Amino acid sequence: MNILVVGAGFCGVTVARLLAEAGHKITVIDERDHVAGNAYDYTNQYGIRVHKYGPHLFHTNNKKVYDWLNQFTTWVPYKHKVKAILEDGQYVTLPVNRETKRIVGEDKIIDTFFRPYTYKMWGKPIEELDPSIINRIPSRDDDNEYYFPNDEYQALPKNGYTEMVKNILDHENIAVLLSTRFDYDMEKDFDHVFNSMPIDVYFDYRHGELPYRSIKFHDVTLPIPKLLPTGTVNFTHDGPYTRVTEWKNLPAHGTNPRYTTLTYEQPCDYRENDKERYYPVKDIDGKNRETYEKYKQMVNPNMTFIGRCGMYVYIDMHQAINSAMSTAEKFIQENTI
């Protein structure tokens, strides 16, 4: 079959590769000028690798996903640690552990770490958000310092995510067209479309806009060898920034002895950031999900929506790949050549 994949992020390229290996002819398009979606990384003029859309840290217990990616990259082991900086400049561990509770005071944990960060991140107070969002960052009663303490596979691709995605797309049955926006006329040239564009955009906002949070990234390079104690530091103040990442603190991200590059993150409504959509808003009353379901009912049989924006879900990289693998396997079973 002749298949169009809209979007060269993890969902799109996973579907593309699996269907190409099954004998289908795949065309992958992306409106950006690069592959890898929000995981895109590059090496700057200082020899430091930067993730353009914020830090992407691979972690999973899904051996199937990890083994599949092994075909396309060499891994560098890395267990992520995060610190939060308090008003007095002191660093404490996140997620909150026993030591953090001792330093800050257990009765101040919510107001110090969760309430200000959540409001900046989502533009809503904690009380208006689905509890599952808060539960993504648990509180611990031990001295663990790792951000993902229970995940068996934690690593970064040695040569970056962009290189890994290029390897995934390196197949004779896959053609890639960048700086190419989806057009409805394309549908008539393909037997099926796997679409990772925002589903409300595809249907011209028939049932209204689905809200997203976005992030403005601010890069700065300083003439010092190192600044932060960990790869990422979260802010506890009520200013506009949520966190900062120092890229050299991640393995295989550059070794410049004179300069270091950092990226600050400033959350905002996606309409304030050229409609760059990063996080679907999971409201506590579920109205956004109800709107999505209305769009889902409109999808024709020759199209499958995938990814965060296509399915309006908040998923990590390994979950995106796993979802795409399941989607592709189901399609192959139903359309055996």
Side-chain angles (χ1 to χ4, degrees), residues 43 55 64 82 123 125 136 152-153 184 189-190 208 213 229 252 272 283 290 297 305 312 324 337:
T43 300
K64 180 180 179 181
V82 174
R136 285 173 62 91
E152 183 175 355
Y153 306 103
Y184 296 105
D189 298 323
F190 295 92
R213 294 296 286 175
E272 299 170 20
D283 52 324
E290 288 176 12
Q297 297 301 317
F305 278 88
Y312 202 66
I337 297 176

Side-chain angles (χ1 to χ4, degrees), residues 10-189:
F10 272 118
C11 276
V13 302
T14 301
V15 166
R17 179 72 187 209
L18 293 175
L19 296 187
E21 290 175 348
H24 299 287
K25 296 292 184 182
I26 316 296
T27 299
V28 178
I29 66 170
D30 200 297
E31 64 181 10
R32 290 172 171 168
D33 62 358
H34 60 74
V35 299
N38 290 345
Y40 170 73
D41 53 22
Y42 65 95
T43 300
N44 70 10
Q45 68 190 86
Y46 302 96
I48 298 168
R49 178 171 293 138
V50 175
H51 301 189
K52 183 175 181 178
Y53 307 99
H56 282 68
L57 308 157
F58 186 80
H59 61 97
T60 188
N61 283 314
N62 190 324
K63 187 175 187 299
K64 180 180 179 181
V65 168
Y66 183 77
D67 288 347
W68 186 75
L69 290 174
N70 271 338
Q71 304 172 80
F72 310 108
T73 189
T74 300
W75 295 104
V76 178
Y78 173 66
K79 291 189 174 183
H80 192 52
K81 292 182 180 180
V82 174
K83 297 293 183 183
I85 186 167
L86 305 177
E87 283 184 4
D88 62 0
Q90 185 175 190
Y91 290 104
V92 293
T93 296
L94 284 181
V96 170
N97 66 3
R98 187 163 52 192
E99 181 191 25
T100 303
K101 291 176 185 176
R102 180 181 58 79
I103 293 172
V104 176
E106 197 155 354
D107 59 329
K108 297 180 181 177
I109 295 297
I110 295 293
D111 289 335
T112 301
F113 301 108
F114 293 94
R115 194 174 298 281
Y117 189 98
T118 299
Y119 188 79
K120 286 186 281 189
M121 187 68 196
W122 297 101
K124 292 175 178 287
I126 287 178
E127 291 78 12
E128 292 181 19
L129 290 169
D130 188 297
S132 65
I133 292 175
I134 310 302
N135 293 339
R136 285 173 62 91
I137 308 176
S139 171
R140 301 182 61 88
D141 293 317
D142 57 23
D143 293 323
N144 165 76
E145 284 192 283
Y146 293 117
Y147 202 73
F148 310 110
N150 302 318
D151 288 345
E152 183 175 355
Y153 306 103
Q154 300 186 48
L156 295 168
K158 183 178 180 181
N159 297 315
Y161 288 104
T162 304
E163 184 69 22
M164 179 170 70
V165 169
K166 286 180 178 178
N167 292 338
I168 294 173
L169 291 168
D170 184 13
H171 191 281
E172 61 183 3
N173 286 343
I174 298 177
V176 179
L177 301 174
L178 299 177
S179 302
T180 302
R181 188 181 292 269
F182 172 79
D183 188 280
Y184 296 105
D185 287 342
M186 295 176 178
E187 292 183 47
K188 66 180 186 299
D189 298 323

